[in-house]
């Protein structure tokens, strides 16, 4: 089966040609003129829809926002200067003193760091690493205002039961927000499973060429408007028109890139799973049991990411293995056309580390070099 929905592929391909040009013009303007002051004042009351000032709405950025909203099946979307811009504005805008956030699963590190800053303003949080709905329910408190999660996570790609979490949250009047970066807007549709808000770092697969940063929030018009008023406009992590243009260009090839990266990453994952120096491969398509069932239910496929725990004595030997790879760049981030390798741990996690993120784990982002060449490279590094 083609992992990408045919309608989605067309939305990506036609992104931004509404103005008649095959690629949209870049409206490099910070402000927009009106005939009268009254018209200006009227527009200021609707700054999320009308172009008044580019810290609010810009036509080029708007093209990208409308495209992402269509892909996510959302009423509205807003684009930010980075994924963290979207995440921080959302948490800042929707939480207040006395509220509690439950973070489920593996969460992007800076998101947790931002939640720690919010503690200074009376917003508390806790974490739940279990994937079972009973454990998640037990971790809620009377003050829980939001359940925030990632599925798949971005290091071990563990899945959480999205529809079950959203049903539980709705019953308790709790907001749900998912970071959908790993799945991209093409491989998983969280709003259709009941989520209130979807967040993305567009820096990864949507941009796809390691040349621009971006973030997005999608959801109901009402929630996106609240984040716009209380977070976007005030914190100012605004997407630049040129970045929106690059991201629209990235979207056009996202279906094609993902199709190849998905196939090649699966081939790499299968190779690693059969290698004697590999203890375990983390890739949703190779998972078993409940994780395999969730993968079949929730996702159309997985992207070009995988990780592996190697049968190596320590952290230093793991870094040495990564360093022996010739085709995998040593860089953070992922989702571009070049393959990358990174370690789960910057420093040796030491003897008392909890083992959740194995010390001999390496994550791979498969680019477009081709599975055969990447497997040959892994083979020589493991020899
Ligand atoms: C990279 C990333 C982010 C942050 O995005 P930036 O564009 O780097 O700010 C958030 N969530 C996940 C899962 C990410 O991988």
């Amino acid at each position: 089966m083609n992992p990408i929905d045919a309608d989605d592929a067309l939305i990506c391909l036609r992104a931004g040609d509404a103005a008649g040009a095959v690629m949209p013009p870049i409206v490099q303007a910070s402000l927009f003129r009106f005939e009268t002051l009254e018209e200006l004042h009227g527009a200021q009351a609707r700054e999320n829809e009308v172009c008044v000032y580019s810290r609010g709405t810009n036509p080029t950025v708007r093209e990208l926002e409308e495209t992402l909203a269509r892909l996510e099946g959302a009423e509205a979307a807003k684009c930010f200067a980075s994924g963290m811009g979207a995440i921080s504005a959302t948490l800042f805008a929707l939480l207040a003193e006395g509220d509690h956030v439950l973070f489920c699963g593996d969460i992007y590190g800076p998101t947790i760091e931002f939640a720690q800053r919010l503690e200074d303003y009376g917003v508390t949080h806790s974490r739940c690493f279990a994937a079972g709905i009973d454990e998640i329910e037990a971790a809620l408190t009377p003050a829980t205002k939001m359940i925030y999660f990632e599925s798949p996570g971005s290091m071990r790609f563990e899945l959480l039961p999205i529809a079950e979490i959203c049903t539980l949250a709705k019953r308790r009047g709790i907001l749900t927000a998912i970071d959908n970066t790993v799945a991209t807007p093409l491989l998983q549709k969280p709003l259709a499973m009941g989520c209130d808000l979807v967040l993305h770092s567009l820096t990864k697969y949507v941009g796809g060429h390691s040349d621009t940063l971006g973030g997005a929030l999608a959801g109901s018009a009402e929630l996106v408007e609240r984040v716009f008023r209380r977070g976007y406009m005030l914190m100012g992590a605004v997407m630049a028109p040129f970045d929106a243009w690059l991201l629209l260009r990235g979207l056009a090839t996202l279906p094609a890139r993902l199709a190849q990266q998905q196939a090649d990453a699966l081939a790499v994952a299968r190779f690693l799973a059969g290698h004697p120096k590999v203890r375990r491969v983390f890739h949703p398509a190779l998972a078993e049991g409940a994780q395999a069932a969730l993968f079949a239910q929730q996702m159309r496929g997985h992207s070009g990411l995988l990780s592996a725990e190697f049968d190596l004595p320590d952290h230093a030997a793991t870094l040495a293995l990564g360093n022996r790879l010739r085709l995998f760049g040593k860089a953070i981030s992922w989702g571009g056309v070049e393959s990358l390798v990174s370690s789960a741990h910057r420093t040796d996690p030491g003897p008392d580390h909890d083992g959740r993120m194995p010390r001999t784990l390496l994550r791979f982002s498969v680019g477009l070099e081709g599975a055969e060449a990447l497997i040959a490279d892994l083979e020589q590094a493991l020899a």
Side-chain angles (χ1 to χ4, degrees), residues 50 58 73 75 104 111 136 141 157 183 211 215 259 268 282 284 289 312 324 336 353 376:
V50 186
N58 170 281
E75 277 177 11
C104 296
T111 301
I136 293 171
T141 80
F157 317 107
D211 55 10
V268 168
F282 298 90
L312 290 168
R324 282 197 297 276
H353 114 99

Side-chain angles (χ1 to χ4, degrees), residues 82-84 87 108 150 154 179 181 201 203-204 213-214 334:
S82 66
M84 276 315 295
I87 292 164
Y108 183 66
E150 293 182 21
S154 62
D179 183 331
T181 303
S201 167
T203 310
K204 313 293 162 57
L213 297 165
W334 40 268

Side-chain angles (χ1 to χ4, degrees), residues 80-87 106-111 148 150 152-155 179-182 199-204 212-216 305 332-334 363:
F80 295 74
S82 66
M84 276 315 295
I87 292 164
D106 290 334
I107 301 285
Y108 183 66
T111 301
Y148 183 108
E150 293 182 21
S154 62
M155 285 308 283
D179 183 331
N180 202 30
T181 303
V182 169
L199 290 149
H200 280 285
S201 167
L202 306 173
T203 310
K204 313 293 162 57
T212 187
L213 297 165
L305 287 166
I332 54 165
S333 196
W334 40 268
R363 179 182 68 192

